[in-house]
Amino acid sequence: KQWYQRRVAITAGTVKIFKILVQEFGNVLEELEAERNGDISDEDDDEEEEEDVETQFVSIAQLAHMLGDDDDEDEDTKDDPLNEVDLHSHLQQFLTQLSTHNTYNQLCLALTENERTVLSSLQVSGS
């Protein structure tokens, strides 16, 4: 019985992490689309978020912006190599590789319709 409870807890944790990664990938895609369209205004996004009742995750960059903590102004983190990470590329590669794993379809069953739409941009089976 303890083995089963521990297995369920690990599975629930795995699903939660997967959902967070998919949601973050969606955030990155939205940011890239906004950059392509030259729309970097947060005012429109704020109005849409207030109307959206569904709970959403915010990226670390968005949270820092909301709290008024801009990394550009912080001298200690200005040269941090993490600022140069291509999050889009890393998440895309990770999620694409994960799609070849035998439990990928089971993980996808836990996704919302919006999360499935994000994964469909990867054009992998099971999403």
Side-chain angles (χ1 to χ4, degrees), residues 51-108:
E51 294 173 6
D52 190 8
V53 178
E54 183 180 338
T55 303
Q56 294 185 0
F57 290 93
V58 288
S59 69
I60 294 172
Q62 290 170 329
L63 182 61
H65 179 71
M66 284 188 274
L67 296 174
D69 182 25
D70 292 332
D71 286 338
D72 295 339
E73 297 175 8
D74 190 357
E75 293 297 322
D76 294 336
T77 61
K78 190 168 98 174
D79 296 327
D80 191 338
L82 287 177
N83 292 331
E84 303 302 319
V85 170
D86 182 359
L87 190 57
H88 174 262
S89 175
H90 284 286
L91 286 174
Q92 184 176 27
Q93 180 181 5
F94 176 79
L95 292 170
T96 300
Q97 288 177 350
L98 182 63
S99 72
T100 64
H101 195 271
N102 60 356
T103 60
Y104 179 75
N105 289 332
Q106 292 172 335
L107 289 171
C108 287

Side-chain angles (χ1 to χ4, degrees), residues 109-123:
L109 293 175
L111 297 178
T112 65
E113 189 63 35
N114 290 339
E115 292 164 342
R116 288 184 182 145
T117 301
V118 167
L119 279 185
S120 69
S121 71
L122 292 173
Q123 300 176 348

